[in-house]
Amino acid sequence: MKVAVFSAQQHDQEHLVPMLREAGMEPLLDERRLTPKTVGDAAGADAVCAFTNDDLCAATLDGLQRHGIHVVTLRCSGHNNLDDEHARRIGMRVARVPAYSPNAIAEHAVALLMTLNRHTHFAWKRTRRGDFRLNNLVGFDVAQRSVGVVGTGKIGAAFARIMLGFGARVRAMDPYPDPELQAAGVTYTDLDELLAASDVVCLMCPLTRDNHHMINADTLARMPRGAILINTARGALVDTEAVETALDSGQLGAAGLDVYEDEGPVFFRDWTGTPDGVPDARLVRLTRRDNVLVTGHQAFLTHEGLTGIAETTVHNLQVLARDPEGHEELPGRLV
């Protein structure tokens, strides 16, 4: 089986490619995003392996079908970039990676929070040039602070447990409360109460049609002045313009963003050698703020996470190829 791997990066070559070859598959690596314009790159492949910012819209899926491709695997858990209804209509077989390493993303969220809180990125820059003053480096104890977690699936649950370990008071919002988290001390509430009571708000939920821009001017205004927002889920959960305004006014104290709502054309590329630099003025503004920390959608990037993604992706390809009617159980099957 030939597998066209779009948005291919160094870590794919190191983790995914060896497992594909070991399974008898031939990877065809493509650094470009899969879009209606690049779908022709998949010609000659038997299946496609897509990533979080590949555009699996109806036009792309139709293009894959014209090339005789009926199997798509997503090497990520989120699938908001897939038109699943159209995939079902045209008989496309699609699966995702429902879970790999929840700890990877939860721990990255903690890293964003603690970096912003204790200003370690500024301290690092200062001490490298010989400045050991403590000016403007004051943070706060996370212990006894109120931390709100939006979404307590595997990732949100892992983050909540870490915050409990810090001694924080943890509130959560999820339509399906986790009894084990409740027993551990997590209080479930609605979004309004969570926002109003939380010094730190961390987004750990999937992106759906209903929660697009759930963090907006109105919801930001309900948060305590100076609160910290952490987003390691999906960029479009956040209205970026509203976040900029809240940062300007001081309503929002800081933001740690591993995702960005317009990241698709920008992330996973090196823009340092290009004449005009990063082609997104708003993103550039964010990265230049002292109270914003942007990472390039790397929260999943641990050895454990990458191994889990690669193993599940290979398994999904094998099952989808031999089971076109969907009789075999596959937890990650979408269509």
Side-chain angles (χ1 to χ4, degrees):
M1 177 191 293
K2 294 182 179 180
V3 182
V5 181
F6 282 86
S7 298
Q9 299 171 69
Q10 178 185 6
H11 62 80
D12 293 308
Q13 297 183 32
E14 295 172 351
H15 289 80
L16 179 61
V17 167
M19 290 192 189
L20 288 171
R21 288 177 175 157
E22 186 177 344
M25 302 179 193
E26 180 183 347
L28 308 174
L29 302 183
D30 195 327
E31 294 183 358
R32 297 201 295 174
R33 293 170 60 218
L34 176 59
T35 69
K37 293 182 179 180
T38 64
V39 71
D41 293 357
D46 303 297
V48 157
C49 182
F51 196 41
T52 184
N53 287 327
D54 291 319
D55 184 5
L56 293 165
C57 63
T60 300
L61 295 172
D62 287 341
L64 294 177
Q65 187 181 54
R66 286 194 296 271
H67 289 296
I69 297 171
H70 303 282
V71 172
V72 175
T73 54
L74 293 168
R75 58 187 190 281
C76 53
S77 58
H79 51 94
N80 54 283
N81 56 334
L82 168 71
D83 187 335
D84 54 348
E85 294 180 1
H86 189 72
R88 189 172 292 107
R89 280 196 297 270
I90 66 174
M92 195 69 66
R93 304 191 292 279
V94 187
R96 66 186 177 109
V97 181
Y100 34 96
S101 175
N103 294 323
I105 298 173
E107 290 172 10
H108 190 77
V110 176
L112 293 174
L113 168 59
M114 296 310 297
T115 300
L116 288 166
N117 175 29
R118 300 306 302 270
H119 312 291
T120 49
H121 50 325
F122 292 128
W124 177 79
K125 289 180 180 179
R126 286 183 184 182
T127 57
R128 279 170 63 92
R129 63 176 185 260
D131 182 353
F132 292 88
R133 292 174 299 168
L134 303 182
N135 298 5
N136 303 312
L137 296 181
V138 177
F140 57 80
D141 288 2
V142 174
Q144 298 306 310
R145 289 281 179 160
S146 182
V147 176
V149 185
V150 181
T152 55
K154 290 182 172 63
I155 298 169
F159 179 78
R161 291 190 182 97
I162 296 172
M163 290 294 100
L164 288 171
F166 270 71
R169 291 176 285 112
V170 181
R171 288 177 171 81
M173 187 205 81
D174 195 292
Y176 305 100
D178 184 329
E180 292 185 6
L181 289 181
Q182 289 176 308
V186 174
T187 301
Y188 277 84
T189 183
D190 60 25
L191 182 62
D192 285 344
E193 184 177 336
L194 181 149
L195 293 174
S198 298
D199 303 300
V200 176
V201 173
C202 188
L203 305 182
M204 295 287 187
C205 56
L207 175 64
T208 68
R209 294 183 180 90
D210 296 328
N211 64 13
H212 181 268
H213 282 183
M214 68 183 302
I215 300 299
N216 53 51
D218 291 337
T219 52
L220 286 164
R222 297 173 207 167
M223 295 168 62
R225 185 171 179 82
I228 296 177
L229 174 68
I230 305 293
N231 186 11
T232 56
R234 284 293 182 266
L237 292 169
V238 173
D239 180 341
T240 310
E241 290 187 11
V243 163
E244 280 195 290
T245 300
L247 289 166
D248 286 339
S249 70
Q251 172 61 22
L252 189 62
L257 309 173
D258 185 55
V259 289
Y260 171 63
E261 62 180 317
D262 296 322
E263 71 181 58
V266 181
F267 278 17
F268 312 129
R269 289 186 58 184
D270 180 3
W271 297 96
T272 56
T274 58
D276 299 320
V278 178
D280 186 320
R282 183 173 62 183
L283 180 58
V284 171
R285 289 197 303 272
L286 286 171
T287 61
R288 292 177 178 173
R289 286 179 177 267
D290 289 344
N291 56 350
V292 173
L293 184 58
V294 177
T295 53
H297 207 139
Q298 70 177 72
F300 70 98
L301 206 64
T302 66
H303 291 294
E304 294 81 1
L306 292 170
T307 298
I309 289 171
E311 289 175 344
T312 304
T313 298
V314 170
H315 177 67
N316 287 347
L317 284 164
Q318 292 171 326
V319 173
L320 292 177
R322 69 173 178 249
D323 183 36
E325 301 302 321
H327 300 305
E328 189 170 343
E329 183 177 353
L330 185 63
R333 189 188 294 270
L334 294 171
V335 182

